[in-house]
Amino acid sequence: MSGVPTRLVFSDVDETLINCKSMFDFLDYYLTGRYGDRGAATARSVRETLLAQAASGVPRERTNRTYFRAWAGESAAEVRRWGQRWFAERSAEPSFYLAATREALRGHRAQGAAVVLVSGSFPALLDPIAADVGAAHVVCTVPQSRGGVLTGEIVGEPVIGEGKSVAVRELFGRYPQLDPAECFGYGDHISDLPMLAAVGHPVVVGGSAALLARLPAARRLAAAA
């Protein structure tokens, strides 16, 4: 995008813009595709660990770190290549995008806004989505790599919860001409609250009672694919 956008429009990705949890879906796709039954078993074990942590009340910021430890030892370039392949296959499915959100973002872009994807997921999955929907920025969790190999750690903090609020503030710092009260945010989960509360026009995708209770004036957008 050339020049200064009319406003910034922040959007969560999983179950807000796309109809799946990208990190889980790609973990199964990659490990099974590369390693067969052994990889499928590993993916299943990781998923069970993460679900158990969530059920016991472990914050999403910590489960996000646990997820990335499963990638230790994998080639960063190979993960990116498989991410492009995953996107090509999944995006060909009619239900991949949540149509209402995608159309809303398209409308914002037509009015000169810059779309910003904000997610706890990672660039191998988000970059092709961003290119497809015309997002100007991607703010996400970044896996650490050394010598082209993923270490299992991340760079900085997960972009979840308060991490999303930090991302929003940093972007506004790059566009001091823009008024946050005129900007939009789209999210589906209570962990999106810090991001949605930072803009003047929050939009709740789906029917999260927790989000709607905290943002009673928010617009609601249907989550049907």
Side-chain angles (χ1 to χ4, degrees):
M1 172 180 294
S2 60
V4 178
T6 57
R7 59 180 55 89
L8 297 179
V9 177
F10 301 92
S11 179
D12 174 53
V13 178
D14 293 358
E15 300 183 313
T16 293
L17 175 58
I18 66 173
N19 194 31
C20 70
K21 293 184 180 296
S22 62
M23 296 163 70
F24 279 160
D25 194 74
F26 182 63
L27 185 74
D28 292 338
Y29 179 87
Y30 178 88
L31 290 178
T32 302
R34 288 209 71 190
Y35 304 114
D37 290 344
R38 177 169 60 90
T42 299
R44 185 164 55 251
S45 176
V46 172
R47 181 187 289 267
E48 289 171 355
T49 296
L50 292 169
L51 291 174
Q53 286 184 346
S56 67
V58 174
R60 278 193 170 194
E61 292 86 347
R62 283 179 55 193
T63 62
N64 188 261
R65 290 181 181 276
T66 300
Y67 172 87
F68 284 106
R69 292 190 183 106
W71 294 96
E74 297 295 328
S75 161
E78 196 70 7
V79 170
R80 286 194 300 272
R81 186 175 73 82
W82 277 75
Q84 291 282 354
R85 180 174 166 183
W86 169 84
F87 173 75
E89 292 185 17
R90 291 291 190 264
S91 64
E93 300 169 5
S95 63
F96 179 72
Y97 285 109
L98 295 178
T101 306
R102 190 179 189 188
E103 185 58 31
L105 297 184
R106 185 181 291 120
H108 287 300
R109 289 186 62 236
Q111 295 172 0
V115 170
V116 184
L117 301 187
V118 185
S119 174
S121 190
F122 58 115
L125 312 183
L126 298 173
D127 286 349
I129 295 173
D132 194 41
V133 302
H137 303 284
V138 175
V139 183
C140 64
T141 304
V142 178
Q144 183 188 72
S145 65
R146 290 199 183 101
V149 177
L150 298 178
T151 67
E153 301 301 323
I154 64 173
V155 178
E157 298 298 319
V159 182
I160 294 175
E162 287 301 326
K164 292 192 173 184
S165 177
V166 171
V168 170
R169 292 197 301 271
E170 288 179 350
L171 257 295
F172 279 131
R174 294 168 60 179
Y175 294 97
Q177 312 92 329
L178 301 181
D179 182 356
E182 297 298 322
C183 295
F184 287 72
Y186 290 77
D188 72 290
H189 188 269
I190 191 63
S191 62
D192 296 319
L193 178 63
M195 175 181 75
L196 299 181
V199 298
H201 298 282
V203 181
V204 175
V205 178
S208 171
L211 261 186
L212 291 168
R214 298 292 298 275
L215 297 167
R219 185 163 66 90
R220 180 175 172 180
L221 196 64

